[in-house]
Structure formats: structure tokens, C-alpha cells
Coordinates of all heavy atoms in Angstrom, one line a residue:
M215 N 27.7 110.7 -57.3 CA 27.1 110.9 -58.7 C 25.6 111.2 -58.5 O 24.9 110.3 -58.2 CB 27.4 109.6 -59.5 CG 26.6 109.6 -60.8 SD 26.8 108.0 -61.6 CE 28.1 108.4 -62.7
P216 N 25.2 112.4 -58.8 CA 23.8 112.8 -58.7 C 23.0 112.1 -59.7 O 23.5 111.7 -60.8 CB 23.8 114.3 -58.9 CG 25.2 114.7 -58.8 CD 26.1 113.5 -59.0
T217 N 21.7 111.8 -59.4 CA 20.8 111.2 -60.4 C 19.5 111.9 -60.4 O 19.1 112.6 -59.5 CB 20.6 109.7 -60.0 OG1 19.7 109.1 -61.0 CG2 20.0 109.6 -58.6
E218 N 18.9 111.9 -61.6 CA 17.6 112.5 -61.8 C 16.4 111.5 -61.5 O 15.3 111.8 -61.6 CB 17.4 113.0 -63.2 CG 18.4 114.1 -63.6 CD 18.3 115.4 -62.7 OE1 17.1 115.8 -62.4 OE2 19.3 116.0 -62.3
K219 N 16.8 110.3 -61.2 CA 15.8 109.2 -60.9 C 15.1 109.6 -59.6 O 15.7 110.1 -58.6 CB 16.4 107.9 -60.8 CG 17.0 107.4 -62.1 CD 17.7 106.0 -62.0 CE 18.3 105.6 -63.2 NZ 19.0 104.3 -63.1
P220 N 13.8 109.2 -59.5 CA 13.1 109.4 -58.2 C 13.7 108.5 -57.2 O 14.2 107.4 -57.4 CB 11.6 109.0 -58.6 CG 11.6 108.8 -60.0 CD 12.9 108.7 -60.6
R221 N 13.6 109.0 -55.9 CA 14.1 108.2 -54.8 C 13.0 108.1 -53.8 O 12.1 109.0 -53.6 CB 15.3 109.0 -54.1 CG 16.5 109.0 -55.0 CD 17.6 109.9 -54.3 NE 18.7 109.9 -55.1 CZ 19.9 109.3 -54.8 NH1 19.9 108.6 -53.7 NH2 20.9 109.3 -55.6
Y222 N 13.0 107.0 -53.0 CA 12.2 106.9 -51.9 C 12.8 106.0 -50.8 O 13.8 105.3 -51.1 CB 10.8 106.4 -52.2 CG 10.7 105.0 -52.6 CD1 10.2 104.0 -51.8 CD2 11.0 104.6 -53.9 CE1 10.1 102.7 -52.1 CE2 10.9 103.3 -54.3 CZ 10.5 102.3 -53.4 OH 10.4 101.0 -53.8
C223 N 12.3 106.0 -49.6 CA 12.9 105.3 -48.5 C 12.0 104.2 -48.1 O 10.8 104.4 -48.1 CB 13.2 106.3 -47.4 SG 13.9 105.5 -46.0
I224 N 12.5 103.0 -47.7 CA 11.7 102.0 -47.1 C 12.3 101.6 -45.8 O 13.5 101.8 -45.5 CB 11.6 100.7 -48.1 CG1 13.0 100.2 -48.3 CG2 10.9 101.1 -49.4 CD1 12.9 98.8 -49.0
T225 N 11.5 101.0 -45.0 CA 11.9 100.5 -43.7 C 11.7 99.0 -43.7 O 10.6 98.5 -44.0 CB 11.2 101.1 -42.5 OG1 11.3 102.5 -42.6 CG2 11.6 100.6 -41.2
V226 N 12.7 98.2 -43.3 CA 12.6 96.7 -43.2 C 13.1 96.3 -41.9 O 13.8 97.0 -41.2 CB 13.5 96.1 -44.3 CG1 13.0 96.4 -45.7 CG2 15.0 96.4 -44.2
D227 N 12.6 95.1 -41.5 CA 13.0 94.5 -40.2 C 14.4 93.9 -40.4 O 14.9 93.7 -41.5 CB 12.0 93.6 -39.7 CG 11.7 92.4 -40.6 OD1 12.6 92.0 -41.4 OD2 10.6 91.8 -40.4
D228 N 15.0 93.5 -39.3 CA 16.3 92.9 -39.3 C 16.4 91.6 -40.2 O 17.4 91.4 -40.9 CB 16.8 92.5 -37.9 CG 17.1 93.8 -37.0 OD1 17.3 94.8 -37.6 OD2 17.0 93.6 -35.8
E229 N 15.4 90.8 -40.1 CA 15.4 89.6 -40.9 C 15.4 89.9 -42.4 O 16.2 89.3 -43.2 CB 14.2 88.7 -40.6 CG 14.2 87.4 -41.3 CD 12.9 86.5 -40.9 OE1 12.5 86.6 -39.7 OE2 12.4 85.8 -41.8
M230 N 14.6 90.8 -42.9 CA 14.6 91.2 -44.3 C 15.9 91.8 -44.7 O 16.4 91.5 -45.8 CB 13.4 92.1 -44.6 CG 13.3 92.3 -46.1 SD 11.8 93.2 -46.6 CE 10.6 91.9 -46.4
L231 N 16.4 92.6 -43.8 CA 17.7 93.3 -44.2 C 18.8 92.2 -44.3 O 19.6 92.3 -45.3 CB 18.1 94.3 -43.1 CG 19.4 95.0 -43.3 CD1 19.3 95.9 -44.6 CD2 19.7 95.9 -42.1
K232 N 18.8 91.2 -43.5 CA 19.8 90.1 -43.7 C 19.6 89.4 -45.0 O 20.5 89.1 -45.7 CB 19.6 89.1 -42.5 CG 20.7 88.0 -42.6 CD 20.5 87.0 -41.5 CE 21.5 85.9 -41.6 NZ 21.9 85.4 -42.8
E233 N 18.3 89.1 -45.4 CA 18.0 88.5 -46.6 C 18.5 89.3 -47.8 O 19.1 88.8 -48.8 CB 16.5 88.2 -46.8 CG 16.1 87.1 -45.9 CD 14.6 86.7 -46.2 OE1 14.4 86.1 -47.2 OE2 13.8 87.0 -45.3
I234 N 18.3 90.6 -47.7 CA 18.8 91.5 -48.8 C 20.3 91.5 -48.9 O 20.9 91.4 -49.9 CB 18.2 93.0 -48.6 CG1 16.7 93.0 -48.8 CG2 18.9 94.0 -49.5 CD1 16.0 94.3 -48.3
D235 N 20.9 91.6 -47.7 CA 22.4 91.6 -47.7 C 22.9 90.2 -48.2 O 23.9 90.2 -48.9 CB 22.9 91.8 -46.3 CG 22.9 93.3 -45.9 OD1 22.8 94.2 -46.9 OD2 22.9 93.6 -44.7
D236 N 22.3 89.1 -47.8 CA 22.7 87.8 -48.3 C 22.6 87.7 -49.8 O 23.5 87.2 -50.5 CB 21.9 86.7 -47.7 CG 22.2 86.5 -46.2 OD1 23.2 87.0 -45.7 OD2 21.4 85.8 -45.5
F237 N 21.5 88.2 -50.3 CA 21.3 88.3 -51.8 C 22.4 89.2 -52.4 O 23.0 88.8 -53.4 CB 19.9 88.8 -52.1 CG 19.7 89.0 -53.6 CD1 19.3 87.9 -54.4 CD2 19.8 90.2 -54.2 CE1 19.1 88.0 -55.7 CE2 19.6 90.4 -55.6 CZ 19.2 89.3 -56.3
R238 N 22.6 90.3 -51.8 CA 23.6 91.3 -52.3 C 25.0 90.6 -52.4 O 25.6 90.6 -53.5 CB 23.7 92.5 -51.4 CG 24.8 93.4 -51.8 CD 25.0 94.5 -50.7 NE 26.2 95.3 -51.1 CZ 26.8 96.1 -50.2 NH1 26.3 96.3 -49.0 NH2 27.9 96.7 -50.6
F239 N 25.5 90.0 -51.3 CA 26.8 89.4 -51.3 C 26.9 88.2 -52.2 O 27.9 87.9 -52.9 CB 27.3 89.2 -49.9 CG 27.5 90.5 -49.1 CD1 26.7 90.7 -48.0 CD2 28.4 91.4 -49.6 CE1 26.9 91.9 -47.3 CE2 28.6 92.6 -48.9 CZ 27.8 92.9 -47.7
G240 N 25.8 87.4 -52.2 CA 25.8 86.2 -53.0 C 25.8 86.4 -54.5 O 26.2 85.6 -55.2
N241 N 25.3 87.6 -54.9 CA 25.2 87.9 -56.3 C 26.2 89.1 -56.6 O 26.1 89.6 -57.7 CB 23.8 88.3 -56.7 CG 22.9 87.1 -56.6 OD1 22.9 86.3 -57.5 ND2 22.2 86.9 -55.5
R242 N 27.0 89.5 -55.7 CA 28.1 90.5 -55.9 C 27.6 91.8 -56.4 O 28.2 92.4 -57.3 CB 29.1 89.9 -56.8 CG 29.7 88.5 -56.3 CD 30.7 88.0 -57.2 NE 31.9 88.9 -57.0 CZ 33.1 88.5 -57.2 NH1 33.4 87.3 -57.6 NH2 34.1 89.4 -57.0
Y243 N 26.5 92.3 -55.8 CA 26.1 93.7 -56.1 C 26.9 94.6 -55.3 O 27.3 94.3 -54.1 CB 24.6 93.8 -55.7 CG 23.7 93.2 -56.8 CD1 23.2 91.9 -56.6 CD2 23.3 93.9 -57.9 CE1 22.4 91.3 -57.5 CE2 22.5 93.3 -58.9 CZ 22.1 92.0 -58.7 OH 21.3 91.4 -59.6
N244 N 27.1 95.8 -55.8 CA 28.0 96.8 -55.1 C 27.3 97.5 -54.0 O 28.0 98.0 -53.1 CB 28.5 97.9 -56.1 CG 29.4 97.3 -57.1 OD1 30.2 96.4 -56.8 ND2 29.4 97.9 -58.4
S245 N 26.0 97.5 -53.9 CA 25.3 98.2 -52.9 C 24.0 97.5 -52.6 O 23.4 96.7 -53.3 CB 25.0 99.7 -53.3 OG 24.1 99.7 -54.4
R246 N 23.4 97.9 -51.4 CA 22.1 97.4 -51.0 C 21.1 97.9 -52.0 O 20.1 97.2 -52.3 CB 21.7 97.9 -49.6 CG 22.3 97.1 -48.5 CD 21.8 97.6 -47.2 NE 22.4 96.8 -46.1 CZ 22.6 97.2 -44.9 NH1 22.3 98.5 -44.6 NH2 23.1 96.4 -44.0
S247 N 21.3 99.2 -52.5 CA 20.3 99.7 -53.4 C 20.2 98.9 -54.7 O 19.1 98.7 -55.2 CB 20.7 101.2 -53.7 OG 20.5 102.0 -52.6
Q248 N 21.4 98.5 -55.2 CA 21.4 97.7 -56.4 C 20.7 96.4 -56.2 O 19.9 95.9 -57.0 CB 22.8 97.5 -56.9 CG 23.5 98.7 -57.5 CD 24.9 98.4 -57.9 OE1 25.5 97.5 -57.4 NE2 25.4 99.2 -58.9
A249 N 21.0 95.8 -55.1 CA 20.4 94.5 -54.8 C 18.9 94.6 -54.6 O 18.1 93.8 -55.1 CB 21.1 93.9 -53.5
T250 N 18.5 95.6 -53.9 CA 17.0 95.8 -53.6 C 16.3 96.1 -54.9 O 15.2 95.6 -55.2 CB 16.8 97.0 -52.6 OG1 17.5 96.7 -51.4 CG2 15.4 97.2 -52.3
L251 N 16.9 96.9 -55.8 CA 16.3 97.2 -57.1 C 16.1 95.9 -57.9 O 15.1 95.7 -58.5 CB 17.1 98.2 -57.9 CG 16.6 98.7 -59.2 CD1 15.2 99.3 -59.0 CD2 17.5 99.7 -59.8
E252 N 17.1 95.0 -57.9 CA 17.0 93.8 -58.6 C 16.0 92.9 -58.0 O 15.2 92.2 -58.7 CB 18.4 93.0 -58.6 CG 18.4 91.7 -59.4 CD 18.1 91.9 -60.9 OE1 18.1 93.0 -61.4 OE2 17.8 90.8 -61.5
L253 N 15.9 92.8 -56.7 CA 14.8 92.0 -56.0 C 13.4 92.5 -56.4 O 12.5 91.7 -56.7 CB 15.0 92.1 -54.5 CG 16.2 91.2 -54.0 CD1 16.5 91.6 -52.6 CD2 15.9 89.7 -54.2
I254 N 13.3 93.8 -56.5 CA 12.0 94.4 -56.9 C 11.7 94.0 -58.4 O 10.6 93.6 -58.7 CB 12.0 95.9 -56.8 CG1 12.0 96.3 -55.3 CG2 10.8 96.6 -57.5 CD1 12.3 97.8 -55.0
R255 N 12.7 94.1 -59.2 CA 12.5 93.8 -60.7 C 12.1 92.3 -60.8 O 11.2 91.9 -61.5 CB 13.8 94.0 -61.4 CG 14.1 95.4 -61.8 CD 15.3 95.4 -62.8 NE 15.7 96.8 -63.0 CZ 16.8 97.3 -62.7 NH1 17.8 96.6 -62.3 NH2 17.1 98.6 -63.0
L256 N 12.8 91.4 -60.0 CA 12.5 90.0 -60.1 C 11.1 89.7 -59.6 O 10.3 88.9 -60.2 CB 13.5 89.2 -59.3 CG 14.9 89.1 -59.8 CD1 15.9 88.6 -58.8 CD2 14.9 88.3 -61.1
G257 N 10.7 90.4 -58.5 CA 9.3 90.2 -58.0 C 8.3 90.7 -58.9 O 7.2 90.0 -59.1
L258 N 8.5 91.8 -59.6 CA 7.5 92.3 -60.6 C 7.4 91.4 -61.8 O 6.4 91.2 -62.3 CB 7.9 93.7 -61.0 CG 7.7 94.8 -59.9 CD1 8.3 96.1 -60.4 CD2 6.3 95.0 -59.6
Q259 N 8.6 90.8 -62.2 CA 8.6 89.9 -63.3 C 7.7 88.7 -63.0 O 6.9 88.2 -63.8 CB 10.0 89.5 -63.6 CG 10.1 88.5 -64.8 CD 11.5 88.1 -65.1 OE1 12.5 88.7 -64.6 NE2 11.7 87.0 -65.8
V260 N 7.9 88.1 -61.8 CA 7.1 87.0 -61.3 C 5.6 87.3 -61.3 O 4.8 86.5 -61.8 CB 7.6 86.5 -59.9 CG1 6.6 85.5 -59.3 CG2 9.0 85.9 -60.0
L261 N 5.3 88.5 -60.8 CA 3.9 88.9 -60.8 C 3.3 89.0 -62.2 O 2.2 88.5 -62.5 CB 3.7 90.3 -60.1 CG 3.8 90.3 -58.6 CD1 3.8 91.7 -58.1 CD2 2.7 89.4 -58.0
R262 N 4.0 89.5 -63.2 CA 3.6 89.6 -64.6 C 3.4 88.2 -65.1 O 2.4 87.9 -65.8 CB 4.6 90.4 -65.4 CG 4.5 91.9 -65.3 CD 5.3 92.6 -66.3 NE 6.7 92.3 -66.3 CZ 7.6 93.0 -65.5 NH1 7.2 94.0 -64.7 NH2 8.9 92.6 -65.5
E263 N 4.4 87.3 -64.9 CA 4.3 86.0 -65.4 C 3.0 85.2 -64.8 O 2.4 84.5 -65.5 CB 5.5 85.2 -65.1 CG 6.7 85.7 -65.9 CD 8.1 85.1 -65.5 OE1 8.1 84.3 -64.5 OE2 9.1 85.4 -66.1
Q264 N 2.8 85.4 -63.5 CA 1.6 84.8 -62.9 C 0.3 85.3 -63.5 O -0.6 84.6 -63.7 CB 1.6 85.0 -61.4 CG 2.7 84.2 -60.7 CD 2.8 84.5 -59.2 OE1 2.2 85.5 -58.7 NE2 3.4 83.7 -58.4
E265 N 0.3 86.7 -63.7 CA -0.9 87.3 -64.3 C -1.2 86.7 -65.7 O -2.3 86.4 -66.1 CB -0.8 88.8 -64.3 CG -0.9 89.4 -62.9 CD -0.6 90.9 -62.9 OE1 -0.2 91.4 -64.0 OE2 -0.7 91.5 -61.9
E266 N -0.1 86.6 -66.5 CA -0.2 86.1 -67.9 C -0.7 84.6 -67.9 O -1.5 84.2 -68.7 CB 1.1 86.2 -68.6 CG 1.5 87.7 -68.9 CD 2.9 87.8 -69.5 OE1 3.6 86.8 -69.7 OE2 3.3 89.0 -69.7
A267 N -0.1 83.8 -66.9 CA -0.5 82.4 -66.9 C -2.0 82.3 -66.5 O -2.7 81.5 -67.0 CB 0.4 81.7 -65.8
L268 N -2.4 83.1 -65.5 CA -3.8 83.1 -65.1 C -4.8 83.5 -66.3 O -5.8 82.9 -66.5 CB -4.1 84.1 -63.9 CG -5.5 84.1 -63.4 CD1 -6.0 82.8 -62.9 CD2 -5.5 85.2 -62.2
K269 N -4.3 84.5 -67.0 CA -5.1 85.0 -68.2 C -5.2 83.9 -69.2 O -6.3 83.6 -69.8 CB -4.5 86.2 -68.8 CG -5.3 86.9 -69.9 CD -4.6 88.1 -70.4 CE -5.4 88.7 -71.6 NZ -4.7 89.9 -72.2
R270 N -4.1 83.2 -69.5 CA -4.1 82.1 -70.5 C -5.0 81.0 -70.0 O -5.8 80.4 -70.8 CB -2.7 81.6 -70.7 CG -1.9 82.4 -71.6 CD -0.6 81.7 -72.0 NE 0.2 81.3 -70.9 CZ 1.2 82.0 -70.3 NH1 1.4 83.2 -70.8 NH2 1.9 81.5 -69.4
K271 N -5.0 80.7 -68.7 CA -5.8 79.6 -68.2 C -7.3 80.0 -68.3 O -8.1 79.1 -68.6 CB -5.4 79.4 -66.7 CG -6.1 78.2 -66.1 CD -5.5 78.0 -64.7 CE -6.2 76.7 -64.1 NZ -5.7 76.4 -62.7
Q272 N -7.6 81.2 -68.0 CA -9.0 81.7 -68.1 C -9.5 81.6 -69.6 O -10.6 81.2 -69.8 CB -9.1 83.1 -67.5 CG -9.0 83.1 -66.0 CD -9.0 84.6 -65.5 OE1 -8.7 85.5 -66.2 NE2 -9.2 84.7 -64.2
E273 N -8.6 82.0 -70.5 CA -9.0 82.0 -71.9 C -9.2 80.5 -72.4 O -10.0 80.3 -73.2 CB -7.9 82.7 -72.8 CG -7.9 84.2 -72.6 CD -6.7 84.8 -73.3 OE1 -5.8 84.1 -73.7 OE2 -6.7 86.1 -73.3
E274 N -8.4 79.6 -71.9 CA -8.5 78.2 -72.3 C -9.8 77.6 -71.7 O -10.4 76.7 -72.3 CB -7.3 77.4 -71.8 CG -6.0 77.7 -72.5 CD -4.8 77.0 -71.8 OE1 -5.0 76.3 -70.8 OE2 -3.7 77.2 -72.3
G275 N -10.3 78.1 -70.6 CA -11.5 77.6 -70.0 C -12.8 78.2 -70.6 O -13.8 77.6 -70.3
E276 N -12.6 79.1 -71.4 CA -13.8 79.7 -72.1 C -14.4 78.9 -73.2 O -13.8 78.1 -73.8 CB -13.5 81.1 -72.6 CG -13.3 82.1 -71.4 CD -12.9 83.5 -71.9 OE1 -12.9 83.8 -73.1 OE2 -12.7 84.4 -71.1

């Protein structure tokens, strides 16, 4: 199934690949790509939440 979404390639070491595969199978994703995409989404969500918490803390300190 062709897609119009941008694509890019990453290289990971054996340990990270195992973690990705463990996440994939533990959460029943159909592919490494789906699992990797979810891990990226989760990581970005955590970063946003940390930035928002830091901003709130700075605003409270003013």
C-alpha cells in the first residue's frame, strides 16, 4: 500500500532494536514501523509535558 507520507531511515544498535521489538510484541503492533512511530509519539508527548511543567514552575516563581 503506497503512502504519500514522508519516509526516512534510522540506524539502531542491537540493544535498542530488541527494546523496540519487545515493545512491539508486548503491545501487539503489526510492524516495527508502527511500534517505532508510537514510541516517537510517546517521547514527544513526554517532552511537551516536561516543557509545560517547567513553564508553569517558572511562572509560579515570578
